[in-house]
């Protein structure tokens, strides 16, 4: 079974969706738990993809095919994981902010975060402050993640932070921001808790923020 789990991780790394799905089904038939398949197959594979992306060895298209292969396997595992009550590593409410329709980068962050075992509530694009606030409450979010690709829409991010403060949620939830025009400096200046320049680093920061949030509760 160990060998098949490694094969599954490799299929994710290589972005071979069909093989990955077949292996997931075979592993389930052989009695592997959904949790083991998730951790030792899918997450293990996506970890390698993340390292290669950060190292400049993989580019967006490679990451996308790997992430899509992972998603196809997750569709099989999701209902089983829900039955087994496997705890997610944290909850992230994610969206591209109001006025902005760019979602390729956000979707990458979403897929990589799911690949790392986080529960992602993806609100899509053109997301208003109200929607972020409502989703944070409804899902007891650990982190709110906001994407902006336009200089004209990144300035909406502080408005969401203000709206969270008005609802007395600012101390209860961590905030991470990203997107091409966003920088670490700017993120710090608006009082965000985290920033990442790409989807793979975003996962590291997200996991760190979840831990910080849970430690402070
Ligand atoms: C594709 C694209 C579009 C597509 C979007 C399709 C889609 N479904 O997303 C379409 C054609 C719809 C589009 C429209 C427009 N676009 Co456009 N678009 C782009 C383009 C070419 C690529 C963006 C992209 O997907 N990059 C690839 C992804 C993987 O990278 P990324 O988004 O940066 O994401 C990475 C990181 O930033 C980070 N990240 C992203 N989000 C988050 C979130 C968090 C929390 C974290 C931690 C990290 C993170 O991780 C990601 C993965 O590593 C860029 C140019 C460019 N090179 O960036 C212009 C660009 C962003 N667009 C631009 C413009 C001006 C527009 C329009 C206004 C054009 C127009 N006149 O109509 C409209 C606006 C529409 C709107 N209201 O949003 C400008 C923005 C200029 C500016 N400084 O504001 C750019 C820079 C092009 C340019 N050079 O002029 N666009």
């Amino acid at each position: 079974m160990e060998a098949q789990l490694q094969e599954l991780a490799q299929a994710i790394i290589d972005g071979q969706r069909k093989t990955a799905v077949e292996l997931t089904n075979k592993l389930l038939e052989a009695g592997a738990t959904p949790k083991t398949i998730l951790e030792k197959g899918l997450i293990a594979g996506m970890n390698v993809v993340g390292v290669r992306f950060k190292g400049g060895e993989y580019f967006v298209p490679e990451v996308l095919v790997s992430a899509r292969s992972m998603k196809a396997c997750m569709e099989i595992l999701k209902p089983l994981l829900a039955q087994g009550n496997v705890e997610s590593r944290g909850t992230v409410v994610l969206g591209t902010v109001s006025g902005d329709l760019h979602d390729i980068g956000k979707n990458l962050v979403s897929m990589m975060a799911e690949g790392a075992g986080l529960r992602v509530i993806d609100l899509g694009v053109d997301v208003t402050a109200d929607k972020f606030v409502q989703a944070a409450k409804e899902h007891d979010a650990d982190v709110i993640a906001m994407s902006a690709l336009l200089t004209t829409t990144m300035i909406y991010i502080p408005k969401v932070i203000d709206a969270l403060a008005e609802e007395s949620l600012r101390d209860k939830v961590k905030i991470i921001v990203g997107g091409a025009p966003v920088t670490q400096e700017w993120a710090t200046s608006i009082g965000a808790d985290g920033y990442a320049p790409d989807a793979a680093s975003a996962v590291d920061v997200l996991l760190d923020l979840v831990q910080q949030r849970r430690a402070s509760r």
Side-chain angles (χ1 to χ4, degrees), residues 103-118:
D103 68 356
I104 298 168
K106 169 193 72 67
N107 292 344
L108 270 178
V109 173
S110 173
M111 290 189 275
M112 295 287 281
E114 278 195 347
L118 290 159

Side-chain angles (χ1 to χ4, degrees), residues 53 60 99-106 108-109 145-147 149-151 176-180 196-199 202:
F53 183 55
V60 170
D100 201 323
L101 303 176
H102 295 85
D103 68 356
I104 298 168
K106 169 193 72 67
L108 270 178
V109 173
M146 287 178 267
S147 178
L149 261 284
L150 301 169
T151 43
I176 180 173
V177 296
D198 57 65

Side-chain angles (χ1 to χ4, degrees), residues 4-14 40-42 44-46:
Q4 267 188 332
L5 284 164
Q6 271 179 24
E7 270 179 61
L8 174 58
Q10 194 58 47
I12 297 294
I13 296 166
D14 297 337
K40 296 196 171 165
L42 307 185
M46 284 308 285

Side-chain angles (χ1 to χ4, degrees), residues 7-8 11-12 16-25 42 69-70 73 76:
E7 270 179 61
L8 174 58
I12 297 294
Q16 292 173 336
R17 178 170 18 186
K18 212 169 145 232
T19 311
V21 165
E22 276 168 18
L23 282 163
T24 299
N25 283 323
L42 307 185
S69 308
M70 187 269 304
C73 299
I76 303 168

Side-chain angles (χ1 to χ4, degrees), residues 38-57:
L38 176 67
E39 286 173 358
K40 296 196 171 165
L42 307 185
I43 295 180
M46 284 308 285
N47 278 343
V48 176
V49 173
V51 170
R52 291 191 183 175
F53 183 55
K54 266 192 262 181
E57 200 181 324

Side-chain angles (χ1 to χ4, degrees), residues 140-160:
D140 187 22
D142 292 294
V143 186
I144 293 189
M146 287 178 267
S147 178
L149 261 284
L150 301 169
T151 43
T152 48
T153 57
M154 64 189 268
I155 51 175
Y156 190 78
I157 293 177
K159 293 188 183 156
V160 181

